[in-house]
């Protein structure tokens, strides 16, 4: 069974992260926007179900997905969106109103990370949100290059070098492009990105801990605000490549980045 329902596998950390990312004051997501996931030790993925509100989620609002079976659709050029929708339905449970419990349409955003995380390590939690400040830039003419350079030191510590993925229709189309770009990033850097910027869409924050996902998400919003201000007064003046490289090479910076990712 590719997708099942087992609230007992939903950790307190995942539920707390989910509710946090949905807080109205953070403006990361509204209504049923956004989704979260946690990679289990057995290689399966716990992901928020479709239609559930982040802020009010309970452990019943998640499903458990077989990563390999879901990603097989990404690898199969003949697979359709309808095939993905069918695979994401938890056949062993339905909602109180009789509607199916189904993984989010954006489950592939999480599953693609999970599959690579099993190879390169370092990631357990993923949070996908649509922050207004970030989406504003990702829907602008500056989308592709706004985050191509680091503009302040704390951004370098928390986020590092993000990955930009151009717009694709959410679902299997986005899943295929997203997986392709993730693999290219890992081939170049030897690790998964902590922040993925989805053109005209939103962000994907990844970390070993739930607290790390929170940190990356909030720093992405600050980064968007900083860029918007800079662009409004004449343009960005990013840090030099040499300065960033020197900064990353420092032992204290490496330690701080590790601690932030682990939620310390």
């Amino acid at each position: 069974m590719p997708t099942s329902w087992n609230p007992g596998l939903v950790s307190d950390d995942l539920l707390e992260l989910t509710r946090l990312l949905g807080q109205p004051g953070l403006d990361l997501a509204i209504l049923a926007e956004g989704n979260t996931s946690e990679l289990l030790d057995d290689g399966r993925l716990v992901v928020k179900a479709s239609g559930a509100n982040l802020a009010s989620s309970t452990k019943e609002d998640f499903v458990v997905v077989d990563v390999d079976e879901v990603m097989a659709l990404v690898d199969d050029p003949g697979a359709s969106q309808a095939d993905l929708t069918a695979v994401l339905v938890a056949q062993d449970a339905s909602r109180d109103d009789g509607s199916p419990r189904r993984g989010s349409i954006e489950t592939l955003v999480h599953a693609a990370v999970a599959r690579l995380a099993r190879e390169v390590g370092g990631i357990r939690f993923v949070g996908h949100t649509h922050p207004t400040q970030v989406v504003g830039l990702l829907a602008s003419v500056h989308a592709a290059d706004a985050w191509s350079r680091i503009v302040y030191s704390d951004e370098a510590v928390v986020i590092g070098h993000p990955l930009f993925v151009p717009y694709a229709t959410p679902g299997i189309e986005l899943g295929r492009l997203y997986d392709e770009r993730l693999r290219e990033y890992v081939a170049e850097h030897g690790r998964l990105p902590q922040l993925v910027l989805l053109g005209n869409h939103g962000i994907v924050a990844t970390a070993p801990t739930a607290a790390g996902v929170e940190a990356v998400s909030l720093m992405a919003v600050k980064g968007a605000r900083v860029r918007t201000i800079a662009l409004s007064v004449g343009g960005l003046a990013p840090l030099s490549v040499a300065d960033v490289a020197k900064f990353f090479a420092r032992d204290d910076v490496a330690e701080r980045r590790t601690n932030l990712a682990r939620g310390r």
Side-chain angles (χ1 to χ4, degrees), residues 43-117:
R44 291 182 296 167
L45 187 71
V46 178
V47 64
K48 187 181 77 69
S50 178
N53 188 303
L54 288 176
S56 59
S57 291
T58 70
K59 291 189 177 185
E60 295 188 349
D61 292 319
F62 292 81
V63 295
V64 183
V65 173
D66 185 303
V67 173
D68 292 328
E69 291 201 46
V70 171
M71 290 304 294
L73 298 178
V74 172
D75 299 335
D76 178 2
S80 67
Q81 181 61 40
D83 295 325
L84 175 61
T85 299
V87 163
L88 292 176
V89 173
Q91 301 292 344
D92 56 347
S94 59
R95 300 184 186 278
D96 292 340
D97 62 3
S99 62
R101 293 186 185 275
R102 182 172 59 241
S104 166
I105 189 177
E106 293 166 331
T107 293
L108 293 181
V109 167
H110 301 263
V113 172
R115 182 164 70 170
L116 284 168

Side-chain angles (χ1 to χ4, degrees), residues 21 44 46 49 56 63 67 71 78 97-98 101 114 119 133-134 155-156 160-161 181 187 191 231 233 242 248:
L21 296 183
R44 291 182 296 167
V46 178
S56 59
V63 295
V67 173
M71 290 304 294
D97 62 3
R101 293 186 185 275
E119 299 175 15
Q133 294 279 350
V134 181
E155 176 180 60
H161 296 286
R181 296 302 171 88
R191 57 176 175 77
L231 290 168
V233 292
F248 273 129

Side-chain angles (χ1 to χ4, degrees), residues 53-241:
N53 188 303
L54 288 176
S56 59
S57 291
T58 70
K59 291 189 177 185
E60 295 188 349
D61 292 319
F62 292 81
V63 295
V64 183
V65 173
D66 185 303
V67 173
D68 292 328
E69 291 201 46
V70 171
M71 290 304 294
L73 298 178
V74 172
D75 299 335
D76 178 2
S80 67
Q81 181 61 40
D83 295 325
L84 175 61
T85 299
V87 163
L88 292 176
V89 173
Q91 301 292 344
D92 56 347
S94 59
R95 300 184 186 278
D96 292 340
D97 62 3
S99 62
R101 293 186 185 275
R102 182 172 59 241
S104 166
I105 189 177
E106 293 166 331
T107 293
L108 293 181
V109 167
H110 301 263
V113 172
R115 182 164 70 170
L116 284 168
R118 295 186 315 195
E119 299 175 15
V120 301
I123 301 300
R124 186 177 183 93
F125 291 87
V126 175
H128 169 49
T129 56
H130 307 156
T132 303
Q133 294 279 350
V134 181
V135 175
L137 276 177
L138 293 177
S140 77
V141 296
H142 300 288
D145 59 7
W147 273 268
S148 62
R149 299 276 296 278
I150 291 171
V151 299
Y152 61 100
S153 58
D154 278 352
E155 176 180 60
V157 173
V158 178
I159 291 176
H161 296 286
L163 168 66
F164 174 75
V165 178
Y167 180 80
T169 304
I172 199 163
E173 182 180 334
L174 172 59
R176 287 179 174 134
L177 177 61
Y178 179 80
D179 182 60
E180 175 187 321
R181 296 302 171 88
L182 278 181
R183 288 186 172 281
E184 291 172 354
Y185 186 100
V186 170
E188 179 179 355
H189 298 280
R191 57 176 175 77
L192 282 157
Q194 291 170 275
L195 175 67
V196 182
L197 302 151
L198 304 175
N200 296 83
H201 188 155
I203 65 172
V204 181
T206 72
T209 65
V213 169
E214 176 191 357
V216 171
S217 300
L218 296 180
M219 192 61 75
V221 173
K222 179 179 178 179
R225 290 174 178 157
V226 169
R227 285 166 170 78
T228 299
I229 293 170
L231 290 168
S232 73
V233 292
L236 293 172
L239 302 179
S240 72
V241 174

